[in-house]
Amino acid sequence: MRIITSHLAVGTLWAGVAACGAVEAQQDAWRTDFSKHTVPLEEIVSGGPPKDGIPAIDDPRFVSTDDADRWLEAREPVVVIDLGSEVRAYPLQILIWHEIVNDVVGGTPVTVTYCPLCNTALAFDRRFDGDVLDFGTTGRLRHSDLVMYDRQTETWWQQATGEAIVGHYAGERLRFVPAPLVSWREFAAAHPDGRVLSRDTGYRRAYGRNPYVTYDEPTGGPLRRFFGARVDDRLPAMARVVALQGRGRPAAFAFSHLAEVRVVNDEFDDAPIAVLWAPETASAVDAGHLAEGRDVGASNVVRRTVGDRTLTFVAHEDGRFRDRQTGSIWNLLGHAVEGPLAGTRLSPVPHGNHFWFAWAVFQPNTRLVK
């Protein structure tokens, strides 16, 4: 078993930014073509650990929901990937220590990622330019966000946007895969036969513990250690938002607003969508144990169309939703569980649950619903 570190588990963490210097100083450790870049290299700083110091999981193992229920608590957050005939959950109690899982789900090569400093849980299709890419951590950050690299060309990629920012593929983008972040209870109820990323990772770590204690405090104190840009003052820096980027103008929906209304019927990229929110999901970067984090809720985004019918959703009891057209009851994952449409599943829309600062710095022109 190998012992690993995280950004906040490194003893010199808070000194990392001041001491790191420019990227050019350590270029000899890379095959990356640093002459190609879409952002200023000086914006990319050390996060503390070296290249692959936070190791990706390349040979993920999975267990049943019954097995995982022995070590996952009801409110713990998990990333859900539902592709083809397979559905899998990736607990943040594991991702918080690894940040990247290279996997194949339903025949689709995917990389499942999580940046604790930005609360960005995002998944991408690893098929690119005729190859299947494998991703690792560079040990660097840009605007506090994870900078990944692919092992085939050692291009550096911005996790929050999926954009290649340095190297061979600079200027290209990965395709997002829907990856809602919900509670373990929500996943297990919807997918009792689903598979769950195992703690048997080949590395030794205190899975279930949070190395980023109080990181998401409302004042944003820890944030300032790695984030040097101006924070968009339309929301507090550490406010959570449902973040959407597509062909047109990006959009963000404040969790604080969603906690009041529970559902927003909207349009994005000319398609009717529903932004759903339910309580009872713990923050992964609050308490010493993830399961004890304060309740921040969870969200999902779905297309609100069934055939040629557009549905309008309202909040229902117990974190569920009801459509006005048929009276069917839906769960947070967009599955009709009661009523005339029972068994129907709405199409998911890729989105993230970013901290506001992490969304606004990359998408300053965003439309904000708050």
Side-chain angles (χ1 to χ4, degrees), residues 323-340:
D323 73 74
R324 287 176 171 160
Q325 284 69 26
T326 74
S328 298
I329 306 303
W330 304 75
N331 65 19
L332 182 61
L333 290 171
H335 303 173
V337 294
E338 297 178 23

Side-chain angles (χ1 to χ4, degrees), residues 69 72-77 182-187 280-282 291:
D69 202 47
L72 277 169
E73 299 294 332
R75 296 191 312 121
E76 283 195 57
V182 303
S183 70
W184 167 241
R185 177 193 286 119
E186 189 80 43
F187 174 83
E280 298 300 321
T281 299

Side-chain angles (χ1 to χ4, degrees), residues 31 49 58 71 248 281:
R31 294 184 288 108
D58 295 314
W71 45 268
T281 299

Side-chain angles (χ1 to χ4, degrees), residues 255-265 274-280 295 298-300 313-321 332:
F255 265 43
S256 56
H257 175 63
L258 292 168
E260 296 178 0
V261 300
R262 301 299 175 97
V263 58
V264 174
N265 297 284
V275 183
L276 311 174
W277 185 93
E280 298 300 321
D295 180 13
S299 73
N300 194 22
F313 288 92
V314 295
H316 189 63
E317 59 189 15
D318 299 326
R320 298 295 187 253
F321 309 89
L332 182 61

Side-chain angles (χ1 to χ4, degrees), residues 103-273:
D103 199 4
V104 178
V105 183
T108 300
V110 298
T111 188
V112 183
T113 69
Y114 178 60
C115 177
L117 301 184
C118 294
N119 201 53
T120 41
L122 302 167
F124 306 93
D125 191 324
R126 295 195 283 129
R127 296 172 296 186
F128 192 83
D129 196 28
D131 290 323
V132 175
L133 304 180
D134 302 307
F135 290 90
T137 59
T138 62
R140 275 118 172 137
L141 304 168
R142 176 170 174 260
H143 301 321
S144 289
D145 181 57
L146 164 66
V147 177
M148 315 182 297
Y149 78 97
D150 71 75
R151 298 191 182 113
Q152 284 66 34
T153 70
E154 296 205 349
T155 297
W156 293 13
W157 303 77
Q158 188 81 60
Q159 182 252 6
T161 64
E163 180 189 2
I165 57 175
V166 182
H168 177 72
Y169 287 126
E172 301 287 348
R173 288 183 184 268
L174 299 168
R175 185 176 71 84
F176 285 100
V177 171
L181 182 65
V182 303
S183 70
W184 167 241
R185 177 193 286 119
E186 189 80 43
F187 174 83
H191 298 287
D193 296 325
R195 304 295 288 174
V196 185
L197 181 65
S198 170
R199 283 175 156 183
D200 182 11
T201 62
Y203 297 89
R204 188 173 69 197
R205 204 55 190 159
Y207 297 125
R209 293 194 64 87
N210 166 32
Y212 302 82
V213 177
T214 71
Y215 175 76
D216 63 350
E217 62 182 24
T219 62
L223 163 67
R224 288 189 287 271
R225 303 287 186 167
F226 281 127
F227 188 74
R230 186 184 70 84
V231 175
D232 187 319
D233 61 8
R234 286 182 286 171
L235 283 176
M238 306 306 287
R240 284 171 167 81
V241 296
V242 175
L244 292 162
Q245 55 185 309
R247 298 186 307 274
R249 186 181 181 189
F253 300 78
F255 265 43
S256 56
H257 175 63
L258 292 168
E260 296 178 0
V261 300
R262 301 299 175 97
V263 58
V264 174
N265 297 284
D266 208 314
E267 290 195 358
F268 184 74
D269 277 354
D270 300 321
I273 64 167

